Amino acid sequence: MRELLLVGVGLMGRPYLAAARRLGVRVHVVETAAAAAALPDQPDHTTLTSGDSDEAWAEVAAAAVAARKPDGVVAFTEPQVLAAALVADTLSLPGPSLGAAVLSRNKALQRGRFAAAGIRQPEYLIAADLHAAGQWAAGRFPVVLKSLSSAGSVGVELVADEREWADAVRRRAGEAPLLVERAVEGPEYSWEALVHEGSVWFSSITAKETTGPPYFVETGHRTAAPVDAATAASVDDFGRSVLAALGMGSGIVHLEFRLADAGPTLMEVAVRMPGDYLMDLLGLTYGIDWFEMVVRLAMSMPLPERPPQRVAHAAAHFPLAEPGVIAGIDGLDVVRAHPAVERAGVLARVGDVLAPVVSSQQRRAYVLLSADDPAAIDDGLDLARRRFVIRTRPA
Ligand SMILES: Nc1ncnc2c1ncn2[C@@H]1O[C@H](COP(=O)(O)OP(=O)(O)OP(=O)(O)O)[C@@H](O)[C@H]1O
Ligand SMILES: [Mg+2]
C-alpha cells in the first residue's frame, strides 16, 4: 500500500486524511501531540512535534521520512510548507518545488522575484529600518506596512499619512525587516488553482470581503465570483504568469489579488490550501473534493478526465463583534434554518472577553452557504448579517 506524509493536519486539514483513506492510501501524520490526539480518525503512523516553527516542522518531517519513506507529501498550512517541500525535494516526490515554497513563505522574496518577472504588484520597499524608510513612504501615502512571513493579516496595517507613519515607526521600531508598499485600490479576489507539473488543471476565482483599512481582516468569500469573461481570462493569464515566475511544480495554489484599473495586481501567493473554509466552498461549487485532488497530485494519481463544471454557488460570512464582554449570541438557529445555509457556528461563549479585531484569528463566528441560485445566497447572507449577532458590553 502506498503512503502519504501529511505535514500538519490541524482542524481544517482533516479532509486530507479522509481523502487519502478513500483513495486506499496509508497516512503518516506529523503533528503536535494535542492535535494528533484530537483527530477523529487515527492515521496509520504519527510522528509528534513539540514546536510550531518552520524549523521544528522541517526537523520532524525529516525524521519522519528517515523512518518511513512516503510516496507523496502534503503540507497543511504556512509553517509546514517548507518542511513538505524539503521532503519532496530530497525524495524527488511531486510538490510545488522548493523554490516556490521558499517564495510562498516570504512576502519580500515574492516581491523581488515578481518585480524581475514583470508581474503587476504594488511598488514596494524592503525596510531594514523604518526610520530610514520615511522618505520613501512620504511621497506615497497611503502605504501598507507588513511583516514578511505572517498570515491572517497579523502585522498588516494601512498607514494613511505622516502622523500615522510616525506612530507606526514608534510602535514597530524593533520589527525589522518590514515590507512597505503603496496601497493598491480595487476589489479583492483570490484565485485557487490545482496545478500539475506547472500546468493549471483547474482554477476558480473567489471574491473577498475585508474590514478594509487599517487592518483588512477577511469577513467573507464568494466562490465562482461574478466576473465577466474578459476579466476571468485576464485573471487566468495573470495566475499563469505568477506560477511561471514561482517555478511552480504540482499542488494547490492560493493567489490573492486586487482588481485595479491597470488589471489584476498581486497581493501575495501561497502554495498550500486556502483557509477560511474555502476548500469546502470550492467543493460545494464544483462538486469535487479539492482535498482529494491535492492528494492525487501529491501521489501522482490521475485526476478526473475532465475538469469539473460549476454545480452551485457558495459563500462564507464571518460576523464580527464589537470589543467587550459577550452578553449574548443571537440568531444562530434562525440562520441555520435558512435553506442556503450549509453550516454555521460560534467559537465563543457568553462572558468571553473580545479584543478589537485586527487579525482573522480573532473572528468567532462563521456561516457557510450554498445554493443553485445566487439570489438565495444573497438572501441567506442578508439574514445572517441582520440576525446572527454576537452582542457585547464594555469590558
Ligand atoms: N499593497 C496593498 N494595497 C492594498 N491593500 C493591501 C496591500 N497589502 C495588503 N493589503 C490588504 O491587507 C490584506 C492582508 O495582506 P496580506 O495578504 O499580505 O497579509 P496576510 O497576513 O497574509 O493576510 P491573510 O493571511 O489574511 O491573507 C490583503 O488581503 C489586503 O486586503
Ligand atoms: Mg493574504
Side-chain angles (χ1 to χ4, degrees):
M1 208 178 186
R2 299 172 78 229
E3 187 161 307
L4 172 73
L5 180 73
L6 204 45
V7 189
V9 186
L11 214 62
M12 297 294 210
R14 289 177 183 180
Y16 277 133
L17 221 127
R21 290 251 188 268
R22 242 181 2 252
L23 293 169
V25 169
R26 258 196 328 251
V27 185
H28 182 174
V29 159
V30 174
E31 249 307 353
T32 61
L39 290 174
D41 175 17
Q42 281 302 307
D44 303 280
H45 301 278
T46 306
T47 300
L48 297 180
T49 175
S50 52
D52 196 26
S53 60
D54 291 36
E55 293 79 5
W57 286 103
E59 178 187 43
V60 178
V65 303
R68 307 183 55 84
K69 190 172 169 306
D71 304 284
V73 57
V74 169
F76 166 44
T77 188
E78 283 292 306
Q80 294 103 25
V81 163
L82 282 178
L86 284 164
V87 165
D89 185 65
T90 309
L91 301 181
S92 300
L93 298 174
S97 84
L98 193 49
V102 169
L103 291 164
S104 173
R105 212 48 200 111
N106 185 308
K107 295 174 209 253
L109 288 180
Q110 290 186 31
R111 292 290 183 237
R113 169 67 67 90
F114 296 140
I119 305 282
R120 195 179 302 105
Q121 62 176 359
E123 225 190 315
Y124 71 97
L125 178 78
I126 300 166
D129 170 2
L130 267 194
H131 279 288
Q135 207 183 350
W136 186 91
R140 293 174 174 86
F141 290 122
V143 296
V144 174
L145 209 54
K146 57 174 89 167
S147 327
L148 306 193
S149 301
S150 310
S153 299
V154 174
V156 177
E157 63 176 310
L158 186 97
V159 179
D161 53 32
E162 294 281 359
R163 194 182 53 79
E164 288 186 14
W165 177 265
D167 178 54
V169 171
R170 241 188 329 273
R171 279 185 290 110
R172 305 185 70 170
E175 227 187 295
L178 282 170
L179 198 51
V180 193
E181 302 181 348
R182 202 189 266 273
V184 175
E185 280 187 43
E188 275 204 84
Y189 296 89
S190 59
W191 182 79
E192 285 75 36
L194 294 163
V195 185
H196 179 240
E197 294 177 0
S199 298
V200 176
W201 177 71
F202 188 68
S203 66
S204 176
I205 302 174
T206 304
K208 183 204 296 258
E209 278 174 37
T210 78
T211 54
Y215 299 117
F216 305 100
V217 176
E218 292 173 341
T219 53
H221 301 274
R222 198 171 188 124
T223 43
V227 294
D228 60 57
T231 304
S234 79
V235 170
D236 282 338
D237 281 351
F238 181 72
R240 285 190 174 84
S241 63
V242 170
L243 296 187
L246 271 179
M248 178 67 192
S250 296
I252 187 165
V253 170
H254 172 61
L255 182 162
E256 298 179 329
F257 66 97
R258 281 187 187 265
L259 203 50
D261 289 342
T265 306
L266 189 73
M267 295 285 103
E268 61 165 342
V269 62
V271 295
R272 41 115 182 124
M273 65 172 253
D276 280 7
Y277 302 97
L278 276 181
M279 294 289 267
D280 303 70
L281 300 187
L282 290 164
L284 292 164
T285 307
Y286 297 105
I288 55 160
D289 180 1
W290 282 57
F291 291 95
E292 180 184 320
M293 299 305 123
V294 177
V295 172
R296 285 178 175 274
L297 286 165
M299 299 292 295
S300 306
M301 293 170 92
L303 294 167
E305 227 159 84
R306 251 178 272 245
Q309 301 280 320
R310 187 178 58 68
V311 296
H313 292 267
H317 166 62
F318 303 99
L320 299 182
E322 292 298 319
V325 181
I326 299 183
I329 297 168
D330 302 334
L332 184 55
D333 291 339
V334 178
V335 164
R336 281 181 175 156
H338 189 279
V341 171
E342 290 282 335
R343 265 154 70 198
V346 182
L347 311 160
R349 273 184 285 201
V350 170
D352 286 357
V353 180
L354 301 182
V357 176
V358 300
S359 90
S360 332
Q361 286 95 321
Q362 293 166 293
R363 298 170 309 184
R364 289 288 178 270
Y366 68 94
V367 185
L368 308 187
L369 308 97
S370 90
D372 295 339
D373 178 3
I377 302 233
D378 289 332
D379 192 67
L381 283 172
D382 179 60
L383 180 79
R385 289 198 177 98
R386 282 185 296 110
R387 302 286 298 277
F388 187 19
V389 179
I390 300 180
R391 280 182 289 113
T392 53
R393 54 181 165 74

Coordinates of all heavy atoms in Angstrom, one line a residue, residues 328-368:
G328 N -24.5 38.2 24.8 CA -25.5 37.3 24.2 C -25.1 36.9 22.8 O -24.3 37.7 22.1
I329 N -25.5 35.8 22.3 CA -25.3 35.3 20.9 C -26.7 35.1 20.3 O -27.4 34.2 20.8 CB -24.4 34.1 20.9 CG1 -23.0 34.4 21.5 CG2 -24.2 33.6 19.5 CD1 -22.1 33.2 21.8
D330 N -27.0 35.8 19.4 CA -28.4 35.8 18.8 C -28.4 35.2 17.4 O -27.5 35.5 16.6 CB -29.0 37.2 18.7 CG -29.1 37.9 20.1 OD1 -29.1 37.1 21.1 OD2 -29.0 39.1 20.1
G331 N -29.5 34.5 17.1 CA -29.8 34.2 15.7 C -29.2 33.0 15.1 O -29.4 32.7 13.9
L332 N -28.4 32.2 15.8 CA -27.8 31.1 15.2 C -28.8 30.1 14.7 O -28.7 29.6 13.5 CB -26.8 30.4 16.3 CG -26.0 29.2 15.8 CD1 -25.2 29.6 14.5 CD2 -25.1 28.7 16.8
D333 N -29.8 29.8 15.4 CA -30.9 28.8 15.0 C -31.6 29.4 13.7 O -31.9 28.6 12.8 CB -31.8 28.5 16.1 CG -31.2 27.7 17.2 OD1 -30.1 27.1 16.9 OD2 -31.7 27.7 18.3
V334 N -31.9 30.7 13.8 CA -32.6 31.3 12.7 C -31.8 31.1 11.4 O -32.3 30.8 10.3 CB -32.8 32.8 13.0 CG1 -33.5 33.5 11.8 CG2 -33.6 33.0 14.2
V335 N -30.5 31.4 11.5 CA -29.6 31.3 10.4 C -29.5 29.9 9.9 O -29.5 29.6 8.7 CB -28.2 32.0 10.7 CG1 -27.2 31.6 9.7 CG2 -28.4 33.5 10.8
R336 N -29.3 29.0 10.8 CA -29.2 27.6 10.4 C -30.4 27.0 9.7 O -30.3 26.1 8.9 CB -28.9 26.7 11.6 CG -27.5 26.8 12.1 CD -27.2 25.9 13.3 NE -25.8 25.8 13.7 CZ -25.4 25.5 14.9 NH1 -26.3 25.3 15.9 NH2 -24.1 25.5 15.2
A337 N -31.5 27.6 9.9 CA -32.8 27.2 9.3 C -32.9 27.7 7.9 O -33.8 27.2 7.1 CB -34.0 27.6 10.2
H338 N -32.1 28.6 7.5 CA -32.2 29.2 6.1 C -31.8 28.1 5.1 O -30.8 27.4 5.3 CB -31.4 30.4 5.9 CG -31.6 31.1 4.7 ND1 -31.1 30.8 3.5 CD2 -32.4 32.2 4.4 CE1 -31.5 31.6 2.5 NE2 -32.3 32.5 3.1
P339 N -32.6 27.9 4.0 CA -32.3 26.8 3.0 C -30.9 26.9 2.4 O -30.3 25.9 2.0 CB -33.4 27.0 2.0 CG -34.1 28.3 2.2 CD -33.8 28.7 3.6
A340 N -30.3 28.1 2.3 CA -29.0 28.2 1.6 C -27.9 28.0 2.6 O -26.7 27.9 2.2 CB -28.9 29.6 1.0
V341 N -28.2 27.9 3.9 CA -27.1 27.8 4.9 C -26.7 26.3 5.1 O -27.5 25.5 5.4 CB -27.5 28.5 6.3 CG1 -26.4 28.1 7.3 CG2 -27.6 30.0 6.1
E342 N -25.4 26.0 4.8 CA -24.9 24.7 5.0 C -24.5 24.4 6.4 O -24.8 23.4 7.0 CB -23.7 24.5 4.1 CG -23.9 24.5 2.6 CD -24.4 23.1 2.1 OE1 -24.2 22.1 2.8 OE2 -25.1 23.1 1.1
R343 N -23.8 25.4 7.0 CA -23.3 25.2 8.3 C -23.1 26.6 8.9 O -22.8 27.6 8.2 CB -21.9 24.6 8.3 CG -21.9 23.1 8.5 CD -20.6 22.5 7.9 NE -19.4 22.8 8.5 CZ -18.2 22.7 8.0 NH1 -18.1 22.3 6.7 NH2 -17.1 23.0 8.6
A344 N -23.3 26.7 10.2 CA -23.0 28.0 10.9 C -22.6 27.6 12.3 O -23.0 26.6 12.9 CB -24.2 28.9 10.9
G345 N -21.7 28.4 12.9 CA -21.3 28.1 14.3 C -20.6 29.3 15.0 O -20.3 30.3 14.3
V346 N -20.4 29.2 16.3 CA -19.8 30.2 17.1 C -18.7 29.5 17.9 O -19.0 28.5 18.5 CB -20.8 30.8 18.0 CG1 -20.2 32.0 18.8 CG2 -22.0 31.4 17.3
L347 N -17.6 30.1 17.9 CA -16.5 29.6 18.8 C -16.2 30.5 19.9 O -15.1 31.0 20.1 CB -15.2 29.5 17.9 CG -15.4 28.8 16.5 CD1 -14.3 29.1 15.6 CD2 -15.6 27.3 16.7
A348 N -17.3 30.8 20.7 CA -17.1 31.7 21.8 C -18.4 31.5 22.7 O -19.3 30.9 22.3 CB -17.1 33.2 21.4
R349 N -18.3 32.0 24.0 CA -19.4 31.8 24.9 C -19.7 33.1 25.6 O -18.8 34.0 25.7 CB -19.0 30.8 26.0 CG -19.3 29.4 25.6 CD -19.0 28.4 26.6 NE -17.5 28.2 26.7 CZ -16.9 27.2 27.3 NH1 -17.7 26.2 27.9 NH2 -15.6 27.1 27.3
V350 N -20.9 33.2 26.1 CA -21.3 34.4 26.9 C -20.3 34.5 28.0 O -19.9 33.5 28.7 CB -22.7 34.2 27.4 CG1 -23.1 35.3 28.4 CG2 -23.7 34.2 26.3
G351 N -19.8 35.7 28.2 CA -18.8 36.0 29.3 C -17.4 36.1 28.7 O -16.5 36.7 29.4
D352 N -17.1 35.6 27.5 CA -15.8 35.7 27.0 C -15.5 37.2 26.7 O -16.4 38.0 26.4 CB -15.7 35.0 25.6 CG -15.6 33.4 25.8 OD1 -15.6 33.0 27.0 OD2 -15.6 32.7 24.8
V353 N -14.2 37.5 26.8 CA -13.8 38.9 26.5 C -13.2 39.0 25.1 O -12.3 38.2 24.8 CB -12.8 39.4 27.6 CG1 -12.4 40.9 27.3 CG2 -13.4 39.3 29.0
L354 N -13.8 39.9 24.3 CA -13.3 40.0 22.9 C -12.5 41.3 22.8 O -12.9 42.4 23.2 CB -14.5 40.1 21.9 CG -15.4 38.9 21.9 CD1 -16.5 39.0 20.8 CD2 -14.6 37.6 21.7
A355 N -11.3 41.2 22.2 CA -10.5 42.4 21.9 C -10.9 42.9 20.6 O -11.6 42.3 19.8 CB -9.0 42.0 21.9
P356 N -10.5 44.2 20.2 CA -10.7 44.7 18.9 C -10.1 43.7 17.8 O -9.0 43.2 18.0 CB -10.0 46.0 18.9 CG -9.8 46.4 20.3 CD -9.7 45.1 21.1
V357 N -10.8 43.5 16.7 CA -10.4 42.5 15.7 C -9.4 43.2 14.8 O -9.7 44.1 14.1 CB -11.6 42.0 14.9 CG1 -11.1 41.1 13.8 CG2 -12.6 41.3 15.8
V358 N -8.1 42.6 14.9 CA -7.1 43.1 14.0 C -6.5 42.0 13.1 O -5.7 42.2 12.3 CB -5.9 43.8 14.7 CG1 -6.4 45.0 15.5 CG2 -5.2 42.8 15.7
S359 N -6.9 40.7 13.4 CA -6.5 39.6 12.6 C -7.6 38.5 12.5 O -8.5 38.5 13.3 CB -5.2 39.0 13.1 OG -5.5 38.0 14.0
S360 N -7.5 37.7 11.5 CA -8.5 36.6 11.3 C -8.7 35.7 12.4 O -9.7 35.2 12.6 CB -8.2 35.8 10.0 OG -7.5 36.4 9.1
Q361 N -7.6 35.5 13.2 CA -7.7 34.5 14.3 C -8.7 35.0 15.4 O -9.1 34.2 16.2 CB -6.3 34.3 15.0 CG -5.3 33.5 14.2 CD -4.4 34.4 13.4 OE1 -4.8 35.4 12.8 NE2 -3.1 34.0 13.3
Q362 N -9.0 36.2 15.3 CA -9.9 36.8 16.4 C -11.4 36.7 16.0 O -12.3 37.0 16.8 CB -9.6 38.2 16.7 CG -8.2 38.3 17.4 CD -7.8 39.8 17.3 OE1 -7.5 40.3 16.3 NE2 -7.7 40.4 18.5
R363 N -11.7 36.2 14.8 CA -13.1 36.0 14.4 C -13.7 34.8 15.2 O -13.0 33.9 15.5 CB -13.2 35.7 12.9 CG -12.6 36.9 12.0 CD -12.5 36.5 10.6 NE -11.8 35.3 10.4 CZ -11.5 34.7 9.3 NH1 -11.8 35.3 8.2 NH2 -10.8 33.6 9.2
R364 N -14.9 35.0 15.5 CA -15.5 34.0 16.4 C -16.7 33.2 15.8 O -17.3 32.4 16.5 CB -15.9 34.6 17.8 CG -14.8 35.0 18.6 CD -14.1 33.8 19.2 NE -12.9 34.2 20.0 CZ -11.7 34.3 19.6 NH1 -11.5 34.1 18.3 NH2 -10.7 34.7 20.4
A365 N -17.2 33.7 14.7 CA -18.4 33.1 14.1 C -18.3 32.9 12.6 O -17.5 33.6 12.0 CB -19.6 33.9 14.5
Y366 N -19.0 31.9 12.1 CA -19.0 31.7 10.6 C -20.3 31.2 10.1 O -21.1 30.5 10.9 CB -17.8 30.7 10.3 CG -18.1 29.3 10.8 CD1 -18.8 28.3 10.0 CD2 -17.8 28.9 12.1 CE1 -19.1 27.0 10.5 CE2 -18.1 27.6 12.6 CZ -18.7 26.7 11.7 OH -19.0 25.5 12.2
V367 N -20.6 31.4 8.9 CA -21.7 30.9 8.2 C -21.3 30.5 6.8 O -20.6 31.2 6.1 CB -22.8 32.0 8.0 CG1 -24.1 31.4 7.4 CG2 -23.1 32.7 9.3
L368 N -21.6 29.2 6.4 CA -21.2 28.7 5.1 C -22.5 28.5 4.3 O -23.5 27.9 4.9 CB -20.5 27.4 5.1 CG -19.2 27.4 6.0 CD1 -18.5 26.0 5.8 CD2 -18.3 28.5 5.7

